[in-house]
Amino acid sequence: MRFQEEFCDPGLVQGLAAALYRESADLIEPLRLMEVCGTHTMAIARFGLKSLLPPQIRLVSGPGCPVCVTPVGYLDHALALAADPINLLTTFGDLLRVPGSVSSLMEQRACGADVRVVWSALDAVALAAQYPDRRVIFLGVGFETTAPTVAAAILQAEQQGLDNFFVLTSHKTMPQAMALLSADPELRIDCYLCPAHVSTVIGGRAYQPLAEQYGIPCVVTGFEAADVLQGILLVVRQQQAGEARVELQYRRAASWNGNQRARQLLEQVFEPRDAEWRGMGVIAGSGLQLRERFARFDAAHQLPVSLPVSREPEGCCCGQVLTGRIEPQDCPLFGTICQPETPVGACMVSGEGSCAAAWRYGIQ
Amino acid sequence: MCLGVPMQVINVGDETVIAEIDGVRCEASLLMLSDPVTVGAYVLVHAGFAIARIDADEAEETLRLMREAFDDEGSA
Ligand code: SF4
């Protein structure tokens, strides 16, 4: 298809890789580049891009997989809601197999809980209209790309006067997490490849404070092979020139100001709150909660359940993987106990998780 | 889950479009786009919504810049 094949053309990819070799030849210290987008993680693994990079470029994955950064307590909350037969849970597919403290939604479903996979948050609203005697709860997980779709669903439920539609929100916003990582001297992040899809919504401007405050070059990068290589080339050039600014590589879909309509939806329905990220703790202002006006759709407040004391899976190093401190294969459970069929942590479940990508496409 | 897929619009309805990639079709809501879309346009689809249009001119320009990155040096 257009805009896909063209950006994966082998000649183009090799040409860019060669240019990258040439242009980074003078780098004295290796550059640590972090991507914070599950689609980048997957694309880099799938295209084998790390093997094309010169030794001066170290590519590490950050907390870009939405399912992976969702703390185990959220899963436990969803599981507690699923236990009540009046509740009908709706979710995107990759949350199903993520282990909670004692089981997963998939296991609970096998035991009779009504958990359904939907393609869109609007499908969950349609289910609520279809089953007025049930409480339909949508599991709202995801970054700025997904949150506006959930906002649109809530507005639609309001318009339809539904009183049996709820959202358990765990939406997160990326720039605050990136600021935390940028300030961490141990991580030594030199440059960011900013997420393609999140950036179509929030716009390149959102990273400007990062570039200015931490002196870190940021390039909003697409997710085909040539996009990623060009994104890397652009940060290398900035680094060489002693610059730190935001550039748009993914111009065909992301702009400086983002998607105004989506941002309006976000603004109308959500407000910032502190949020817990798996392995990173609570990050101030990095989450989204429903505004007061929409409180009646908030599952966490409207449908109280007793919650267990949550615990992260024993031995799982997801937190370190998600912050680029270690590579998946450095986790002692990787590939032994922990495999996609028997995941111990979230990073092995989601297709966008670093552990799953490393397992599926091999370690480079 | 955060996956967005570039797809071509093959049918435009009131609030949704039908988009296609590699023979796979799906419905996508237009609630997140402010400008109208036409059949044949390319959009990025995420979680059942068209979240961005793909600008053909910008795509061509990006491809041109990519080639320039190595053509220049190859001929230098
Ligand atoms: S390999 Fe499994 S246990 Fe280890 S960090 Fe990844 S998900 Fe966690």
Side-chain angles (χ1 to χ4, degrees):
Chain A
M1 197 190 91
R2 272 197 84 193
F3 308 129
Q4 224 189 7
E5 280 158 20
E6 289 157 305
F7 288 91
C8 300
D9 174 67
L12 195 61
V13 169
Q14 279 159 18
L16 285 167
L20 204 49
Y21 257 87
R22 261 193 308 271
E23 295 197 28
S24 42
D26 302 339
L27 288 172
I28 303 156
E29 293 271 312
L31 273 190
R32 266 172 73 83
L33 253 85
M34 180 176 268
E35 49 80 7
V36 282
C37 169
T39 314
H40 281 154
T41 310
M42 243 178 44
I44 288 160
R46 182 158 60 101
F47 297 124
L49 292 182
K50 281 188 186 168
S51 64
L52 296 178
L53 298 180
Q56 294 92 330
I57 309 281
R58 304 268 160 79
L59 205 48
V60 294
S61 290
C65 156
V67 166
C68 304
V69 300
T70 302
V72 77
Y74 178 85
L75 268 312
D76 288 341
H77 198 157
L79 289 162
L81 288 167
D84 187 336
I86 196 176
N87 293 340
L88 190 171
L89 266 68
T90 52
T91 175
F92 297 131
D94 46 3
L95 212 56
L96 273 189
R97 296 192 307 122
V98 179
S101 294
V102 285
S103 78
S104 67
L105 288 166
M106 182 103 114
E107 284 161 7
Q108 202 119 333
R109 184 167 74 172
C111 299
D114 198 348
V115 182
R116 304 191 194 184
V117 172
V118 290
W119 154 249
S120 154
L122 295 175
D123 295 345
V125 177
L127 281 170
Q130 191 182 342
Y131 298 106
D133 300 335
R134 306 285 303 279
R135 299 192 298 212
V136 174
I137 303 164
F138 181 74
L139 301 181
V141 167
F143 298 120
E144 293 96 326
T145 356
T146 318
T149 73
V150 176
I154 287 172
L155 291 172
Q156 192 161 97
E158 184 182 52
Q159 201 190 1
Q160 294 179 15
L162 296 175
D163 59 3
N164 64 330
F165 176 73
F166 303 91
V167 178
L168 185 65
T169 56
S170 182
H171 291 295
K172 297 190 166 48
T173 51
M174 195 45 94
Q176 292 77 7
M178 289 168 77
L180 183 92
L181 297 173
S182 308
D184 189 330
E186 199 193 308
L187 285 177
R188 291 183 299 104
I189 297 168
D190 296 311
C191 325
Y192 281 116
L193 295 186
C194 300
H197 303 126
V198 164
S199 305
T200 63
V201 172
I202 64 176
R205 199 185 291 281
Y207 308 102
Q208 219 164 359
L210 283 177
E212 283 166 9
Q213 196 175 340
Y214 300 100
I216 298 182
C218 295
V219 176
V220 173
T221 304
F223 48 88
E224 305 297 347
D227 288 320
V228 175
L229 292 177
Q230 193 190 27
I232 297 173
L233 194 58
L234 292 174
V235 289
V236 167
R237 285 179 181 170
Q238 281 198 41
Q239 192 80 20
Q240 305 264 34
E243 293 173 341
R245 52 193 171 82
V246 182
E247 268 184 281
L248 299 177
Q249 182 280 329
Y250 192 46
R251 285 177 177 276
R252 61 189 184 277
S255 65
W256 200 239
N257 291 323
N259 178 332
Q260 298 300 330
R261 186 75 177 272
R263 290 175 56 181
Q264 270 165 17
L265 284 167
L266 275 181
E267 178 65 29
Q268 187 180 353
V269 176
F270 291 105
E271 62 191 3
R273 72 157 169 211
D274 300 346
E276 186 191 345
W277 297 54
R278 187 187 294 255
M280 297 171 71
V282 173
I283 306 177
S286 70
L288 297 170
Q289 69 186 3
L290 293 175
R291 290 189 181 276
E292 185 61 38
R293 197 192 126 197
F294 299 100
R296 69 182 175 90
F297 296 103
D298 189 345
H301 287 114
Q302 302 299 330
L303 313 172
V305 279
S306 62
L307 297 173
V309 178
S310 296
R311 51 179 176 81
E312 295 291 340
E314 208 170 317
C316 172
C317 309
C318 261
Q320 283 157 282
V321 171
L322 285 167
T323 46
R325 284 182 170 78
I326 65 167
E327 294 290 328
Q329 60 274 20
D330 299 330
C331 168
L333 306 185
F334 179 83
T336 55
I337 303 175
C338 186
Q339 297 184 7
E341 290 308 308
T342 52
V344 175
C347 305
M348 189 57 97
V349 178
S350 173
E352 299 163 76
S354 295
C355 299
W359 171 262
R360 181 150 168 215
Y361 297 106
I363 297 153
Q364 295 162 24
Chain B
M1 193 195 94
C2 204
L3 297 183
V5 183
M7 300 181 94
Q8 188 167 29
V9 174
I10 57 167
N11 197 325
V12 181
D14 278 350
E15 282 186 353
T16 59
V17 292
I18 307 291
E20 183 182 57
I21 181 173
D22 298 336
V24 180
R25 291 178 180 192
C26 73
E27 191 174 41
S29 165
L30 291 174
L31 286 172
M32 258 168 83
L33 288 189
S34 8
D35 307 325
V37 290
T38 49
V39 170
Y42 289 83
V43 290
L44 204 56
V45 177
H46 166 79
F49 285 69
I51 61 164
R53 310 156 139 285
I54 299 175
D55 186 314
D57 294 339
E58 289 287 2
E60 291 303 333
E61 176 64 8
T62 302
L63 286 167
R64 193 186 64 73
L65 287 172
M66 285 175 171
R67 293 197 193 95
E68 205 179 82
F70 52 93
D71 279 355
D72 269 10
E73 303 195 22
S75 56

